[in-house]
Amino acid sequence: MLKPIIWDDEKGELILIDQRKLPHNLEYFICKTYEDVAYAIKDMVVRGAPAIGISAAYGLALAEIKGENIYRAYNTLKNTRPTAVNLFWALDRCLKAYEKGKKILDEAKKIHNEDIEICKNIGIIGEKLINDGDTVLTHCNAGALATSAYGTALSVIRFAHYNGKDILVIIDETRPRLQGAKLTAFELEYEKIPYRIITDNSAGFLMQKGEIDKIIVGADRILRDGTVYNKIGTYSLAVLANYHNIPFYVAAPISTLDFYSDEKDIKIEERSEKEVLYIDNVRIAPKNAKAYNYAFDKTPPELITGIITEKGIFKPNEISKIVNI
Amino acid sequence: MLKPIIWDDEKGELILIDQRKLPHNLEYFICKTYEDVAYAIKDMVVRGAPAIGISAAYGLALAEIKGENIYRAYNTLKNTRPTAVNLFWALDRCLKAYEKGKKILDEAKKIHNEDIEICKNIGIIGEKLINDGDTVLTHCNAGALATSAYGTALSVIRFAHYNGKDILVIIDETRPRLQGAKLTAFELEYEKIPYRIITDNSAGFLMQKGEIDKIIVGADRILRDGTVYNKIGTYSLAVLANYHNIPFYVAAPISTLDFYSDEKDIKIEERSEKEVLYIDNVRIAPKNAKAYNYAFDKTPPELITGIITEKGIFKPNEISKIVNI
């Protein structure tokens, strides 16, 4: 099983798979300080909402181990990326533990171990939605690499495969960072689950041809009305799925829910236009070209068939019931 | 004015801008034989439905000049790319001229010169649809580089700009070959028309934000019921435009109309999966990855607001009236 996040207890170091180097090289990035972790999140050595949360928790633990100012470390880590809520959730949980006199490292390990169980449950619960013979489209990477293990959307796909269902996965390449073509393809190759990569442009045409049975994506933040923030392109897929009557599912742990924010509070991260203008350090656009590079988009609840969590599958407008479970 | 196709009368050679080298290098590709032209079309030295037609006509003229078998040349050129109808239209027109004892080169020059006028008229007619202050999204390259000059969709944009309208063009990068980021950006840079490049993934989000006023694309083939075949991704844009009530226009010369075929007759070209798995010779996907690479898609008439031709703007279901004009 691919594990993007490893805590080395002996050395007191956080070891991350360097996802910038995939799919060609499986290299590791060692974090000895919270600043290393902040850099790793910002530069997308580690990415994916749950994985960012776990890494940030270990980052805060590193500050504690080194006897540094926890609040400064908290702020630095908090300001690495603005959209995924798990980052703030994990940091707040660790800070609360710290203020109660607990060891941050223990809390980080707890978050990490819980996430493995959560992802497993998402897969076990969600795989019931997949039929033998289905072709399932996924976007970006909501896989083991985006979490502690198994993934969210890919956990559903993994468990369908583990249970002997014959499925084909269509992977959107997911420009600009190509997490689909690079990371999701790497994971499915690793697990020997059949897949085909398509350009993001091709999804609508495959739906029109009747070749997509279901769509499953992850989430970076879910509001109480069921609005989902996720990787740019998710919204387009949801509109296309709606037009073609294809079920559109979001798979995410409960830590992705944000019941305190409204749409106006959410900042959609704009990343460097270089991510669009260059691909793997090769300039594709003219010398003076400019680009827009929104990293996420917003999908309204009416376009979502169901949200798959570790506590069950919910209609988007019923997701707020989860607090009573 | 950018001219992608030049006939050198002295040397009897066809000179093409090598569009594979853009936007970084403006190089030329010389065709001395019809086989050179066939290669140039196949490998996308020259691309865009009208430009392919003009080049193929000169290709047939080269066979005539060299005293080669015209029918063999016709077949070779015809089999270069399957979807754009202008290729067959131009070849058939030249063959008919040949069979009437006319010089193919004269017919090719006529097609070439007519196309310049046609594209100009498309721009003059279509620019009336553009308001001062509009943000217009375009896909792929339906520009001067896809025609003899001016372009189709970009002719509309050019003439709006020439007439002093303040517009911003949003360019879909258009994976896999990136004709938007490479060719359309190159043309607009050349003309100093303001633009921003986006990933194909971002179009839906910009529409949701209310930042797109109009969409204009080209076409590779239009059936009598107004069904449009164009670069992959066009259909997704049309569905998104429909969902957001954004006008969606297709700009194309009448030579793009195909009143003889039905949907079942149209072959959607599938190109090498390498175009998806590599970008500018850099492998992005895992070693054993496989991809689907459909080059075109099909947009039904109900998603199209209007078709801009050199003879006027038509509702898709009225396009067949054009034969009576």
Side-chain angles (χ1 to χ4, degrees), chain A residues 277-285, chain B residues 19-24 175-178 181-182 274-284:
Chain A
L277 301 173
Y278 293 80
I279 301 179
D280 283 350
N281 298 318
V282 179
R283 175 102 187 173
I284 56 163
Chain B
Q19 301 193 32
R20 300 168 306 178
K21 305 292 171 67
L22 292 175
H24 306 307
R175 280 279 289 144
R177 300 272 301 210
L178 297 162
K182 292 184 172 189
K274 283 186 181 167
E275 291 186 346
V276 178
L277 303 174
Y278 293 79
I279 301 180
D280 282 350
N281 298 318
V282 179
R283 174 104 188 172
I284 56 162

Side-chain angles (χ1 to χ4, degrees), chain A residues 22 42 45 49 54 110 145 173 191 209 234 253 266 283 298 312:
Chain A
L22 292 174
K42 230 178 192 154
V45 171
I54 299 162
K110 227 169 124 183
L145 291 165
E173 64 175 359
E191 298 258 3
K209 278 160 66 82
T234 301
I266 313 298
R283 175 102 187 173
K298 182 184 79 182

Side-chain angles (χ1 to χ4, degrees), chain A residues 70-324:
Chain A
I70 297 302
Y71 294 93
R72 177 174 302 169
Y74 172 91
N75 275 322
T76 302
L77 289 161
K78 201 179 147 176
N79 288 318
T80 46
R81 296 195 66 192
T83 309
V85 78
N86 319 56
L87 171 65
F88 314 120
W89 170 85
L91 284 169
D92 286 342
R93 190 168 147 182
C94 288
L95 195 67
K96 211 173 277 175
Y98 169 76
E99 288 173 343
K100 282 187 180 158
K102 292 184 190 165
K103 240 175 103 183
I104 296 174
L105 181 60
D106 290 342
E107 196 65 22
K109 284 181 182 173
K110 227 169 124 183
I111 290 172
H112 191 177
N113 286 325
E114 282 170 18
D115 189 67
I116 298 174
E117 277 310 299
I118 286 167
C119 287
K120 203 171 160 178
N121 282 328
I122 288 173
I124 291 167
I125 290 168
E127 81 84 31
K128 295 185 182 78
L129 297 168
I130 310 291
N131 296 324
D132 192 37
D134 269 356
T135 297
V136 181
L137 184 143
T138 189
H139 188 60
C140 194
N141 174 265
L145 291 165
T147 59
S148 51
Y150 300 107
T152 52
L154 288 196
S155 184
V156 174
I157 286 167
R158 273 190 167 87
F159 278 92
H161 175 73
Y162 295 162
N163 291 344
K165 292 177 185 169
D166 179 23
I167 54 171
L168 174 66
V169 182
I170 302 293
I171 304 175
D172 261 359
E173 64 175 359
T174 317
R175 278 280 290 149
R177 302 271 304 210
L178 298 163
Q179 293 95 332
K182 291 183 171 191
L183 307 181
T184 298
F186 177 83
E187 280 196 33
L188 297 191
E189 189 76 45
Y190 194 91
E191 298 258 3
K192 304 207 187 311
I193 300 173
Y195 69 91
R196 290 288 184 283
I197 299 169
I198 59 168
T199 62
D200 302 307
N201 267 337
S202 310
F205 183 55
L206 288 186
M207 292 186 214
Q208 186 193 45
K209 278 160 66 82
E211 291 186 14
I212 308 289
D213 297 302
K214 265 136 213 168
I215 299 174
I216 307 184
V217 301
D220 290 83
R221 196 189 288 230
I222 302 174
L223 303 190
R224 62 182 171 279
D225 69 349
T227 298
V228 167
Y229 292 82
N230 192 45
K231 179 56 54 196
I232 189 81
T234 301
Y235 172 65
S236 293
L237 287 174
V239 171
L240 287 163
N242 177 62
Y243 188 78
H244 295 93
N245 286 314
I246 295 170
F248 184 89
Y249 294 104
V250 173
I254 290 174
S255 61
T256 310
L257 301 175
D258 173 5
F259 285 176
Y260 304 103
S261 301
D262 292 313
E263 281 188 26
K264 64 174 171 33
D265 304 320
I266 313 298
K267 193 175 165 213
I268 299 264
E269 181 179 6
E270 284 187 72
R271 296 183 61 85
S272 164
E273 59 182 351
K274 283 186 182 168
E275 291 186 348
V276 178
L277 301 173
Y278 293 80
I279 301 179
D280 283 350
N281 298 318
V282 179
R283 175 102 187 173
I284 56 163
K287 213 175 65 183
N288 298 314
K290 288 186 174 301
Y292 291 139
N293 184 18
Y294 294 98
F296 301 94
D297 62 22
K298 182 184 79 182
T299 301
E302 62 269 23
L303 297 178
I304 298 164
T305 310
I307 301 176
I308 306 165
T309 74
E310 69 271 29
K311 298 286 187 197
I313 302 164
F314 297 85
K315 298 252 167 235
N317 59 8
E318 291 176 346
I319 191 73
S320 56
K321 286 188 184 164
I322 222 166
V323 288
N324 303 321

